Amino acid sequence: MSPKRAPAPPPLLPGYEHRRLLGSGGFADVFLYEQVLPSRPVAVKVLLSEAVDTDVVEHFRREANVMAQLSSHPSIVTIYGAAVSDDGRPYLVMEYCPRPNLGVRYRSDRFSVAEVLALGVQIAGAVETAHRAGVLHRDIKPANILVTAYNRPALTDFGIATTTGEADASTGMSIPWSPPEAFAAQPWSGRESDVFALGATLYTLLAGRSPFELPGGSNSSLDVIARIERGDVAPLARSDVPASLEAVLRSSMEVDPRRRYSSAQALGRALQQVEAEMSLSVTQMDVLDDSLPVDAVDDQDGGATRIRGVVEIDPHVGDGPRLATSSPAPAMPSYAAATQIVSDATVVRAPAGPAIPRPGELPVAAEAGSPWGVASEQAQAVRRKRSRTPIVATIAAGVLAIVVGVGIWLVVTSGNGSSQPGPETTIAAPQPNAPSKPIAMTATVEGDEVRFTWANPSPVDGDVFIVRSDPSEGDPIRETPVLPELSIPIDPDGQTCLSVAIQRTTGQQSAYEEFCIDA
C-alpha cells in the first residue's frame, strides 16, 4: 500500500459486497469485493475522486478497452466489467489473483530456473498477443505480473499502454526495467522496448534484483539510468543458470534495439530452446492473433507455439454513465529526489510543451499517478545533471554543428538524394527486416567433432545461415545450413572456431558472430 496517502473509502457497488483493501496506487485503490451473482471474489480498481480529470479518465478508459480486448488470453488478467459508482468514481472489475505478485515474491523467494523459463514463455505469448492487436504495454515489470489461483502468471496494468501506430509522445516507464530509448531526448516505445522490459523482468526473478542495480554500490535513479544507457548488466552469479539463458537475457537487453529479439514471440522461442537444452518440458506459448478467424488454430514448432484467433470482449464502458470529468487536477505533491535509491514506481513522461527546452535538457517527466505533465524532482535532477556542460564543450559543439551542417548542405546540393532531419536521440528507432547477428552460441565436444548451436534473434521466413570456419589444417568450411546447428571436425591446433551470419531472402546479411572452444 502506498505510504503517500490513506486509501479512499470503498464505493457502494450494486451486486458487489466489499471485503477489504488490496492496495493503493498513485490515483487509484484496489479493493477485494465479493460478486453476488455469480458468486466469486473480484478485484475492483477504483479511481480517486480528486484524480478524475480528462487525462486520467482517458487513461482509465483505454485500460478498460485494452484489457477487455485481450481478456481471453490465459496469461492476461481478465476484466469482467467497467462502470461508474454512484459517487462518480470510475471502476474496473477484474479477476482476483490471490497469490503474491512477482514484485513481492522476488524480494524474498528464490525462483528456480525452470519456473522462470516457463513463466517467461507464457508472458512472452501474452506480450506477443498484445503486439499483434496493436498494443504496446510499456510498463512490464515484476509487480505487473500477478499469479492466478491456478498458479499461472497473468500480465496486468495496461494503464499506460498505447497502440503501436498511435502518435503518443508520452512514455510510461519504471526505471529499473526500462530500455535506453525511454531516457532519450525524444523518448519512444516499440515492440523492442517491451522485449527489453520482459528480459529485464526475467533477469530480476533470477538475480533477486534488477539487472542494473549494483549490489553494495550506489543505486540512485541517476546511477541506474547511466548503467542502462551503457548496457552495464551485472552478472547473474548463479551456477544453476546456463550460459545460454544468460545470453538470451543479455540479448533481449541490448542497448541498440536492432540487436534485441525483434518480437516477444522470438524471445519466447529462445526461452523454449533453453528449456529443450536443459531437458525440461517445453512450455506452450499461446498467441492470439486478431487477423485470424476466432476458430482458427495454427500450431507451430511442433505444437510449442499455438496461434489462435482473438475472442474480443466488449467492456460496455460506454453503455452506462459516462466517465465524467469533474474537478481540476490537484496540486502536485513532492517526491524523492533522484539521489534516493531508485524507485520501482511507474513514471509517465509527458510530451514536450510549447516552450523550447534549453540545450541538454530532457523533456519533462511526470511522476506515477500524475498525468498532468508536471516535472518531479527526480526528473529535474536528471535534467540538471545533463545540462551542466562546460563552456569550452559548448563552443566546440557549435563549431562541430557548423561543420556538419556545411557537409550535409554539400551532399544535398551535389546529389539527387534528399535530406530529412532525424529524431534528436542517440538511439534510433529500428529499421524493419534488418537481420541481427546470431545469439546464444554454444559449442559441445562430441567425439572428434564440435557441435555448434545458435539462435536467430529475429527469425523471418526464408532465413538461412552463412557459416564459415578456417581450421589450421585442411580446407576452409563454408556452409549454408537452414537449422541453427552444425558439427565440424575438431581443429588440431587446439581451438575450434565457427563464425555465423544470418541472410534474408532480400539479400540482407547480418554481421558474423564468432564462437570458439578449446578442444
Side-chain angles (χ1 to χ4, degrees):
M1 188 172 64
S2 173
K4 296 183 178 70
R5 63 171 179 83
L12 294 175
L13 305 179
Y16 299 91
E17 296 178 356
H18 172 258
R19 292 290 180 258
R20 61 184 172 87
L21 176 73
L22 293 177
S24 296
F27 55 96
D29 294 311
V30 181
F31 300 96
L32 176 65
Y33 280 77
E34 183 74 23
Q35 185 173 352
V36 177
L37 187 68
S39 179
R40 61 183 173 188
V42 294
V44 180
K45 181 177 181 179
V46 185
L47 283 185
L48 300 177
S49 57
E50 62 267 26
V52 180
D53 75 344
T54 303
D55 290 335
V56 173
V57 169
E58 180 55 35
H59 279 293
F60 189 83
R61 186 188 298 275
R62 177 187 296 171
E63 180 178 11
N65 283 314
V66 167
M67 291 188 67
Q69 182 184 10
L70 305 175
S71 200
S72 59
H73 193 282
S75 291
I76 294 178
V77 172
T78 303
I79 181 172
Y80 300 133
V84 179
S85 65
D86 290 340
D87 59 2
R89 287 182 285 170
Y91 65 89
L92 289 178
V93 181
M94 301 177 291
E95 172 185 7
Y96 172 52
C97 297
R99 299 171 182 265
N101 67 58
L102 301 190
V104 173
R105 276 194 59 199
Y106 87 80
R107 291 180 170 87
S108 58
D109 296 349
R110 180 181 172 91
F111 282 77
S112 70
V113 175
E115 182 181 5
V116 171
L117 285 168
L119 67 87
V121 172
Q122 291 168 324
I123 296 300
V127 176
E128 178 69 19
T129 295
H131 289 176
R132 292 188 181 214
V135 174
L136 302 175
H137 188 282
R138 304 202 301 175
D139 196 24
I140 299 171
K141 60 182 179 181
N144 283 343
I145 300 177
L146 308 183
V147 182
T148 69
Y150 297 95
N151 203 32
R152 173 143 190 162
L155 187 62
T156 189
D157 203 350
F158 285 79
I160 59 173
T162 186
T163 58
T164 53
E166 189 176 74
D168 183 2
S170 65
T171 303
M173 61 177 178
S174 296
I175 290 175
W177 302 278
S178 293
E181 56 266 26
F183 310 108
Q186 293 182 354
W188 58 272
S189 297
R191 293 179 177 88
E192 300 85 356
S193 306
D194 279 351
V195 167
F196 183 105
L198 178 53
T201 294
L202 299 179
Y203 176 103
T204 299
L205 303 183
L206 290 169
R209 54 178 169 77
S210 68
F212 304 95
E213 286 184 62
L214 189 62
S218 176
N219 292 305
S220 69
S221 294
L222 292 177
D223 293 321
V224 171
I225 290 172
R227 294 183 197 123
I228 291 173
E229 292 177 327
R230 295 193 304 265
D232 290 345
V233 179
L236 273 171
R238 275 185 59 166
S239 59
D240 60 334
V241 175
S244 57
L245 175 54
E246 189 159 357
V248 167
L249 297 181
R250 285 181 174 272
S251 295
S252 69
M253 294 184 287
E254 285 279 0
V255 172
D256 185 346
R258 293 168 295 185
R259 293 177 59 85
R260 299 175 204 154
Y261 293 96
S262 63
S263 67
Q265 181 176 337
L267 173 55
R269 284 177 171 170
L271 296 172
Q272 289 174 325
Q273 183 177 345
V274 177
E275 287 181 316
E277 291 174 359
M278 297 181 66
S279 300
L280 299 171
S281 297
V282 175
T283 305
Q284 179 175 293
M285 179 167 47
D286 292 302
V287 176
L288 307 183
D289 193 328
D290 61 2
S291 67
L292 297 176
V294 170
D295 57 352
V297 177
D298 180 14
D299 286 338
Q300 299 181 1
D301 303 324
T305 304
R306 173 161 292 186
I307 302 178
R308 295 175 292 172
V310 170
V311 180
E312 294 190 7
I313 299 177
D314 185 359
H316 301 296
V317 174
D319 293 348
R322 292 185 61 84
L323 302 184
T325 61
S326 57
S327 57
M332 184 68 184
S334 60
Y335 295 92
T339 53
Q340 302 285 330
I341 296 299
V342 64
S343 169
D344 60 2
T346 301
V347 176
V348 179
R349 291 189 63 171
I356 300 175
R358 298 191 184 112
E361 283 191 342
L362 292 175
V364 174
E367 196 69 21
S370 173
W372 308 287
V374 181
S376 67
E377 294 179 17
Q378 184 181 83
Q380 293 171 8
V382 175
R383 276 209 317 272
R384 286 196 297 268
K385 180 174 181 179
R386 294 190 176 183
S387 62
R388 294 168 185 162
T389 307
I391 295 177
V392 175
T394 304
I395 296 173
V399 174
L400 178 61
I402 295 172
V403 173
V404 172
V406 172
I408 294 175
W409 179 81
L410 289 174
V411 171
V412 172
T413 55
S414 62
N416 295 325
S418 62
S419 175
Q420 297 179 353
E424 295 178 2
T425 173
T426 57
I427 303 174
Q431 298 297 319
N433 300 324
S436 302
K437 292 196 303 183
I439 62 171
M441 288 192 70
T442 65
T444 306
V445 177
E446 298 178 347
D448 58 354
E449 291 187 325
V450 176
R451 179 175 175 267
F452 289 89
T453 65
W454 57 89
N456 185 345
S458 53
V460 172
D461 290 343
D463 280 357
V464 296
F465 302 103
I466 309 299
V467 176
R468 67 186 186 189
S469 179
D470 296 295
S472 58
E473 296 180 5
D475 297 330
I477 297 172
R478 300 291 185 268
E479 300 282 350
T480 55
V482 176
L483 297 178
E485 60 180 55
L486 185 69
S487 294
I488 64 175
I490 293 177
D491 194 320
D493 191 39
Q495 190 176 62
T496 306
C497 299
L498 191 74
S499 297
V500 185
I502 299 172
Q503 187 175 67
R504 294 268 147 91
T505 55
T506 59
Q508 294 173 298
Q509 181 174 318
S510 72
Y512 279 92
E513 180 71 13
E514 184 181 52
F515 194 83
C516 298
I517 184 174
D518 294 327

